[in-house]
Amino acid sequence: MAGAGENWLSDGLDIAGADCGLWVSGVDYMSGWRGAREAADQLNRAFLGAGFELSQVRAVASTDEGGRGVVRVAGRPDAVERLAVLLEAVTSGGDGGAA
C-alpha cells in the first residue's frame, strides 16, 4: 500500500470512542461475507471485462453490523468517473435513462 505508515491497518478508521466492538457475539458474519465475496468477484470480472484494472476500481466484500453481506466499490476518482460514464451510457441507451 503506497504511502502507508506503521499504522496501515488503522489508516482511515476512526474508532475512537466506539462503545461497542467491531464484532457482535453470535452474529454469523462469515455467511454474509461469503455471499458478498461471490458478488464482488463477479463484479470484479465485469470491471476487468470493461477494461478496468483492479488497482483502479474494485469491488470489496464486507458485512454490515447484522452480518448481512455488503459489496463496496472502491476506486480512484478518475476510474470511478469512467465507470459512471459507462453506466450512464448503458442506462440511457434508447429509453431516456429510465431504469
Side-chain angles (χ1 to χ4, degrees):
M1 180 183 301
E6 283 183 31
N7 296 325
W8 65 269
L9 184 59
S10 63
D11 282 352
L13 294 177
D14 183 14
I15 58 172
D19 293 331
C20 63
L22 297 176
W23 299 97
V24 176
S25 179
V27 174
D28 180 12
Y29 293 99
M30 289 306 295
S31 178
W33 180 83
R34 280 188 209 100
R37 176 63 187 261
E38 290 176 17
D41 287 347
Q42 183 178 3
L43 186 54
N44 283 328
R45 286 191 299 274
F47 287 155
L48 290 170
F52 290 95
E53 293 181 23
L54 296 183
S55 62
Q56 298 171 321
V57 64
R58 69 180 304 124
V60 181
S62 185
T63 58
D64 65 9
E65 63 280 351
R68 291 176 298 268
V70 175
V71 176
R72 293 180 170 84
V73 175
R76 296 180 180 164
D78 58 326
V80 173
E81 288 172 0
R82 268 185 50 219
L83 177 59
V85 168
L86 178 66
L87 292 172
E88 288 170 350
V90 169
T91 59
S92 66
D95 64 1

